[in-house]
């Protein structure tokens, strides 16, 4: 087995042509081809959320009955908490030159890395669908107001199909084309949102009171905290959703780039999303006051309500915002999943896997929009993203800390090469310590979830209607994973020359790498058992 590649300082790399189809899958990106910067990471992550679909999520506090100020507090809480949880996940890409699902092999095992692939698929379907739904609705609604286009099922279906196909085409070209789209989206969408401030400034009233007023009955008032926390969790799902994708983009950043810059770029990219979130919150409060039928919890229509309260000169900017922003969200969601599934299914190239996942997502879009409750679908998927992805991220981040940031990039690729063995083989390709910490905490999160009127787990009512699923699953994932690392030491070979931190290790033989193209080379490890400080 080859030794890990040294951490080298950033070097200048030639930038491929925009229309050149990306040649790489999830194999380690060569140092010579890493030309991205932390600013590029900021652009992609912010551009992927500075969109119309984020406005839709921003409207949920109003749909849950909160006042504007209560909704703003829930939004800020969700964005900041989500950004803090997310930002450490950016370091895996530069360190290992691959995506986060592949990097998770070090903590979940060669086969256990498929958990990350599942989470990226779940997230991609949810947010690709939200972007197509919201953008398609805005385009059809705007065309109806501008040109009299009939708002029929057929017109919506055509809009969804055309928009989804356009996003899919960008993803097929790959990272550079996606980066180009997001560079445009960051600036243009921000300008359009600021233009929206002008459009709605005269109608906006920050004193919008919601339903939890002093005159509300006791039953309504008792639902305030469940609604507040539920709204914050819906907002938090947006930054958390990037956890499985950050490595897709940061892998093009040179390994020697200071980690604080990479982490800072990821954090600030989410703080910046307060722009579309607050835009959605503010406009939803205007809709609730002037056109309340559009925020009826039984059949909400944020896009329709936004068009109903918009001045006529803002119809075209709404359509542009839907088109540009939807492209950005759709590409960032779909690109990473296609990339990862090309390694899970080796017969598929990155392009073929991207097309497959795109087609499946488009099918879900039509089913969710025309066959299911749209708000229920979004809420349920957002809940599943939080409860399943957050514990996985905790295992990854604690694993990074206990390993002192040391990885063997070559050993991470064993699964992708259809080989067996190596430093991260553990037990038949599974690291049951990380896997156990993940599935136990994720299950607990699902059981204790309580989002009123949307999704309530079997044990959701035990906390008096307050959703405690996130803090509970975070605590369980952290405590259980660290306990398992102490009680059941991992092989010393999985750690770097400085040894473990907060964990014990044991000297055991490392299975040689076998399979296609393998050249078995012994892994040298210290003979004694070690314990971290």
């Amino acid at each position: 087995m080859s030794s890990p590649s040294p951490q080298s300082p950033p070097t200048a790399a030639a930038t491929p042509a925009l229309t050149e189809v990306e040649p790489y899958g999830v194999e380690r990106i060569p140092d010579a081809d890493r030309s991205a910067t932390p600013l590029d990471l900021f652009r992609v992550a912010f551009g992927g959320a500075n969109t119309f679909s984020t406005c839709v999520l921003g409207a949920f506090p109003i749909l849950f009955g909160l006042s504007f100020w209560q909704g703003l507090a829930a939004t800020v809480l969700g964005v900041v908490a989500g950004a803090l949880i997310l930002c450490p996940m950016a370091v895996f890409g530069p360190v290992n030159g691959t995506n986060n699902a592949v990097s998770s092999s070090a903590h979940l095992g060669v086969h256990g890395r498929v958990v990350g692939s599942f989470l990226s698929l779940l997230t991609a379907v949810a947010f690709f669908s939200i972007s197509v739904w919201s953008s398609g609705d805005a385009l059809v609604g705007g065309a109806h107001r501008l040109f009299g286009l009939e708002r029929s099922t057929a017109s919506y279906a055509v809009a969804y199909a055309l928009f989804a196909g356009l996003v899919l085409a960008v993803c097929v070209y790959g990272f550079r084309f996606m980066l180009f789209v997001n560079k445009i989206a960051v600036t243009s969408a921000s300008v359009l949102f600021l233009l929206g401030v002008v459009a709605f400034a005269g109608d906006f009233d920050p004193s919008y009171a919601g339903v939890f007023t002093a005159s509300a009955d006791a039953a309504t008032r008792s639902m305030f905290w469940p609604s507040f926390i539920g709204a914050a969790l819906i907002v938090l799902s947006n930054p958390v959703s990037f956890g499985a994708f950050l490595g897709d983009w940061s892998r093009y950043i040179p390994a020697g780039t200071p980690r604080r810059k990479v982490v800072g770029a990821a954090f600030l990219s989410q703080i910046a999303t307060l722009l579309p979130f607050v835009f959605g919150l503010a406009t939803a409060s205007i809709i609730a006051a002037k056109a309340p039928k559009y925020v009826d919890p039984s059949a909400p229509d944020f896009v329709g309500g936004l068009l109903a309260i918009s001045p006529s000169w803002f119809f075209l900017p709404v359509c542009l915002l839907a088109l540009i922003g939807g492209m950005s969200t759709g590409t960032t969601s779909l690109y990473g999943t296609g990339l990862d599934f090309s390694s899970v299914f080796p017969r598929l190239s990155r392009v073929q896997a991207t097309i497959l996942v795109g087609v499946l997502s488009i099918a879900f879009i039509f089913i969710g929009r025309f066959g299911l409750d749209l708000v229920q679908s979004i809420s349920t998927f957002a809940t599943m993203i939080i409860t399943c992805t957050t514990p996985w991220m905790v295992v990854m981040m604690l694993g990074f800390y206990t390993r002192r940031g040391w990885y063997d990039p070559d050993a991470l690729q064993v699964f992708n090469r259809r080989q067996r063995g190596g430093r991260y083989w553990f037990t038949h390709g599974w690291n049951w310590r990380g896997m156990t910490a993940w599935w136990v905490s994720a299950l607990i999160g699902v059981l204790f979830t309580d989002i009123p009127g949307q999704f309530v787990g079997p044990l959701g009512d035990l906390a008096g209607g307050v959703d405690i699923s996130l803090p509970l699953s975070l605590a369980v994932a952290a405590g259980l994973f660290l306990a398992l690392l102490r009680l059941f030491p991992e092989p010393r070979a999985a750690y770097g020359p400085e040894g473990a931190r907060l964990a014990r290790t044991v000297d055991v033989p490392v299975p040689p790498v076998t399979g296609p193209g393998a050249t078995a080379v012994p892994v040298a490890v210290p003979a004694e058992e070690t314990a971290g400080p």
Side-chain angles (χ1 to χ4, degrees):
M1 177 182 297
S2 59
S3 60
S5 300
Q7 301 290 308
S8 56
T11 57
T15 302
L18 181 65
T19 55
E20 179 182 341
V21 176
E22 182 183 4
Y24 297 114
V26 293
E27 66 270 25
R28 185 176 185 274
I29 303 298
D31 292 337
D33 289 340
R34 297 203 203 181
S35 58
T37 66
L39 179 59
D40 290 327
L41 175 62
F42 172 88
R43 286 169 174 161
V44 175
F46 175 45
N50 189 34
T51 65
F52 208 74
S53 57
T54 304
C55 295
V56 174
L57 295 178
F60 268 76
I62 300 300
L63 296 179
F64 281 14
L66 300 179
S67 70
F68 171 77
W69 291 111
Q70 292 164 349
L72 181 62
T75 299
V76 172
L77 174 62
V79 168
V80 173
L84 290 172
I85 294 172
L86 170 72
C87 62
M89 295 297 293
V91 300
F92 292 95
V95 169
N96 296 322
T98 187
N99 70 350
N100 285 354
V102 173
S103 292
S104 71
S105 301
H107 308 297
L108 300 179
V110 168
H111 293 153
R113 56 137 293 182
V114 297
V115 170
S117 302
F118 161 75
L119 294 176
S120 67
L121 177 63
L122 181 71
T123 304
V125 170
F127 282 85
F128 181 53
S129 300
I130 293 172
S131 70
V132 173
W133 283 329
S134 58
S135 297
D137 286 357
L139 290 173
V140 172
H144 171 73
R145 297 293 296 270
L146 287 170
F147 311 113
L149 176 70
E150 182 182 358
R151 299 174 67 174
S152 63
T153 299
S155 61
Y156 282 112
V158 170
Y160 295 154
L162 289 176
F163 188 79
L166 188 60
V167 171
L168 186 56
V170 173
C171 293
V172 166
Y173 275 104
F175 176 77
R176 293 294 164 191
F177 208 138
M178 183 180 68
L179 183 59
F180 172 73
V181 169
N182 279 276
K183 284 180 179 179
I184 297 175
V186 166
T187 302
S188 56
S190 297
V191 170
L192 291 170
F193 278 128
L194 294 175
L195 189 62
V197 173
V198 176
F200 299 110
D203 295 324
F204 174 61
D205 182 3
S207 64
Y208 172 74
V211 302
F212 302 106
T213 61
S215 60
D217 56 49
T220 299
R221 291 198 302 271
S222 68
M223 293 300 295
F224 170 73
W225 283 112
S227 299
F228 180 89
I229 294 178
L233 289 176
I234 293 291
V235 172
L236 185 143
S237 70
N238 195 64
V240 167
S241 71
F242 286 94
F245 296 130
L246 275 186
D248 302 334
W249 317 318
S250 63
R251 69 198 178 114
Y252 277 95
I253 297 175
T257 304
R259 291 173 183 174
R260 58 182 173 78
K261 292 186 178 181
V262 178
V263 172
F267 178 79
L268 292 176
S269 70
Q270 300 308 305
I271 297 301
T273 63
L274 284 171
L275 174 62
F277 268 118
V278 174
F279 181 86
L281 176 70
T283 51
S285 68
I286 298 173
I287 295 170
K290 298 186 64 175
K293 68 177 182 178
Y294 290 102
V295 292
D296 182 352
S298 62
D301 182 7
F302 171 77
V303 174
L306 183 65
L307 291 169
I309 65 171
S310 295
S312 58
W313 63 265
F314 195 62
F315 292 159
L316 182 58
V318 167
C319 293
L320 291 175
L321 186 60
L323 178 63
I324 297 170
M327 284 286 294
S328 185
T329 295
T331 54
T332 52
S333 298
L334 189 60
Y335 166 78
T337 304
L339 175 72
D340 194 55
F341 266 71
S342 66
S343 66
V344 176
F345 302 101
R347 293 185 178 181
L348 299 177
S349 67
R350 183 193 66 81
V351 172
Q352 291 170 329
T354 299
I355 294 174
L356 174 62
V357 174
V359 170
L360 293 176
S361 299
I362 292 171
F364 176 80
I365 288 168
F366 280 86
I367 294 173
R369 178 62 175 83
F370 299 115
L372 302 174
D373 184 310
L374 184 58
V375 172
Q376 184 75 39
S377 300
I378 294 174
S379 299
T380 300
F381 263 90
T383 300
M384 295 303 295
I385 288 168
I386 293 172
T387 54
C388 294
T389 302
T390 307
W392 178 80
M393 293 164 64
V394 170
V395 170
M396 290 280 287
M397 288 183 282
L398 285 176
F400 185 93
Y401 184 77
T402 58
R403 304 280 175 87
R404 302 181 188 270
W406 185 94
Y407 294 87
D408 182 345
D410 190 69
L412 292 172
Q413 298 290 335
V414 166
F415 179 92
N416 308 327
R417 297 168 181 164
R418 290 303 176 262
Q419 299 170 339
R420 300 168 63 87
R423 295 178 191 270
Y424 305 130
W425 187 247
F426 299 106
T427 305
H428 305 294
W430 302 89
N431 187 350
W432 62 269
R433 304 160 191 83
M435 289 291 297
T436 299
W438 169 72
W439 75 259
V440 169
S441 52
L443 178 61
I444 289 175
V446 172
L447 293 176
F448 280 88
T449 295
D450 187 355
I451 301 179
Q454 306 297 325
F455 183 90
V456 179
L459 304 179
D461 294 329
L462 292 185
V466 176
D467 193 318
I468 61 172
S469 59
L470 180 63
L472 192 59
S473 61
L474 284 172
V476 171
L480 182 56
F481 184 52
L482 290 176
L484 291 173
L485 291 180
R486 297 289 298 184
L487 294 173
F488 305 96
E490 291 180 318
R492 175 66 179 85
Y495 293 79
E498 297 183 17
R501 181 193 283 136
L502 297 181
R504 295 192 306 129
T505 62
V506 62
D507 178 30
V508 296
V510 176
V513 176
T514 59
T519 55
V521 177
V523 177
V525 296
E528 73 278 2
E529 179 180 336
T530 62

